[in-house]
Structures are given as structure tokens and as C-alpha cells.
Amino acid sequence: MNLSFFDQFTSPCLLGIPLVLLSMLFPALLLPSPGSRWITNRLSTLQSWCIDLITKQLMTPLNKSGHKWALILTSLMILLLSINLLGLLPYTFTPTTQLSMNMALAFPLWLATLLTGLRNQPSASLGHLLPEGTPTPLIPALILIETVSLLIRPLALGVRLTANLTAGHLLIQLISTATTALLSVMPAISMLTSIILLLLTILEVAVAMIQAYVFVLLLSLYLQENI
């Protein structure tokens, strides 16, 4: 029984072929492709408005040199947002509950921001490892601490996203199992737990959106440090 709670985090397979790539590409199929017509429908207008709003929120803290990353960060935001929200539907798989996938997204982008800073302004990037006015005896220890905190950033990005989504999915499954089990024994308690389940689902929708935004926002802040 306890093991079945974690079956939802197992990558689905068909004929021994993992379907994670298909589950990652499926959200992109739901987005309407832009046409060449002047007059568009409401869905395309809503999509353009959302993309414009997301891009403004992400690009506001960055200077002009960081605006080259607008397409990458906005696409990542839409991808994570779509995957997180679709993963709340019944009988679906959420790829972002896999630490390997989140690390595969976080590490290359974090490394790209770091290499961008080392290429464009190496002195300023290395200067973050040692705060100004540090006493001489503390210099080796502070350099070591700042280096560890720098290298742990992609791990923190991946673990944060994985832990929040995994905890939410487990809570939903636990409460839904309790609601079903109590339905024939104590209907009143079952109705109460169903209300709690509804509120928790609304909370998880908010968490899915917030975690996608936080993931991309932290990457943009790391980029701001290096440009």
C-alpha cells in the first residue's frame, strides 16, 4: 500500500520505451500556433497577452544585454508552467517530479550564466567570491563558503522544484485515498475531507504556477549577477 503512493512518480513506459519525452512535448501541442492573419481568435490573443506579461516580468530586472535571454527564459517558463498544471490532472505523469529532469534543466542554464559572466566580466564575477572589506584571516574560509554556495545553486533549483511538486502530489493522493475509504463508513467525515481535498487542489495549482515562476526568476537573477 505504501509503495503504491510512489507509483505516480514512476516514468511510464510503452513496450519498454520511456514516455517522458512525449509527456514533455505534449504541452507544446496544446498551444495554438501563430498565424499570419491580422485578426486572431481569443485563444491566440490570450496566449500573446500571457507571453508578453511573462516576458515583461522576467526582463524588468535585467539590463539590455540580458534581453537576449528573453526567448529562452520565457519558453522555459511556459514549459514548466504547462507541465506542472497538466500534471495535476488525473492519470497523468508529471516529469518535473523527477530530480534528473529538473537538474537537466537547471545545470546547463546555470552554467551558461556563469560562463557568460566569466567571459564578459571575469573580475566582477570572481569578485562575488570575496566580499569587500573581509578581514585577512577570514579570506580562505569565505572564498570556500562562497564557492560552495555558488556550486550548489543548480542543485537547489532542482531539489526545490522536485520537493514542492512531489509533496503536493503525495498529499493529494493521501487525502483522496482517505476520502474514498471513509465514504462508506463515515460519509460526514468523507465530505469534510473532500472539501479539504478541493482546497488542497486549488493550493497545488497555485504552487505549480509559483514554482515555475521561482525557477525561472532565480535563473534570471543569476544572469543579472553575471552581466
Side-chain angles (χ1 to χ4, degrees), residues 8-176:
Q8 60 177 319
F9 305 119
T10 304
S11 176
C13 295
L14 180 63
L15 300 176
I17 302 174
L19 300 180
V20 177
L21 183 61
L22 180 62
S23 62
M24 289 177 57
L25 295 178
F26 181 73
L29 302 177
L30 301 178
L31 298 177
S33 57
S36 57
R37 298 179 300 173
W38 283 96
I39 301 177
T40 58
N41 54 23
R42 292 182 178 88
L43 186 59
S44 299
T45 304
L46 179 62
Q47 176 190 351
S48 301
W49 177 80
C50 291
I51 293 176
D52 183 61
L53 180 63
I54 292 172
T55 306
K56 283 183 179 180
Q57 290 292 328
L58 295 177
M59 294 297 108
T60 299
L62 302 178
N63 52 28
K64 287 188 177 181
S65 60
H67 292 178
K68 302 174 184 177
W69 290 66
L71 180 60
I72 297 176
L73 295 178
T74 305
S75 302
L76 179 62
M77 174 73 180
I78 295 173
L79 174 66
L80 291 177
L81 190 59
S82 303
I83 291 176
N84 292 350
L85 292 178
L86 288 176
L88 293 173
L89 296 176
Y91 302 104
T92 56
F93 173 71
T94 312
T96 44
T97 56
Q98 305 294 314
L99 182 60
S100 57
M101 176 191 164
N102 295 334
M103 289 299 299
L105 291 174
F107 183 76
L109 293 173
W110 166 81
L111 185 62
T113 60
L114 183 62
L115 294 178
T116 300
L118 292 176
R119 184 190 65 179
N120 295 336
Q121 44 180 12
S123 299
S125 297
L126 294 177
H128 290 300
L129 300 178
L130 184 64
E132 187 176 356
T134 304
T136 304
L138 298 179
I139 288 179
L142 278 180
I143 291 178
L144 181 61
I145 292 172
E146 291 295 330
T147 303
V148 171
S149 65
L150 178 65
L151 297 178
I152 208 173
R153 283 179 174 179
L155 181 62
L157 282 175
V159 170
R160 181 187 296 108
L161 182 58
T162 303
N164 282 282
L165 294 181
T166 302
H169 283 63
L170 281 176
L171 278 175
I172 288 177
Q173 186 168 2
L174 286 170
I175 296 180
S176 60

Side-chain angles (χ1 to χ4, degrees), residues 168-210:
H169 283 63
L170 281 176
L171 278 175
I172 288 177
Q173 186 168 2
L174 286 170
I175 296 180
S176 60
T177 303
T179 303
T180 307
L182 294 173
L183 185 59
S184 58
V185 182
M186 292 180 286
I189 302 299
S190 179
M191 289 296 296
L192 179 61
T193 53
S194 62
I195 295 175
I196 296 175
L197 179 61
L198 177 61
L199 296 177
L200 180 62
T201 304
I202 297 174
L203 176 64
E204 282 306 311
V205 171
V207 169
M209 299 173 66
I210 291 172

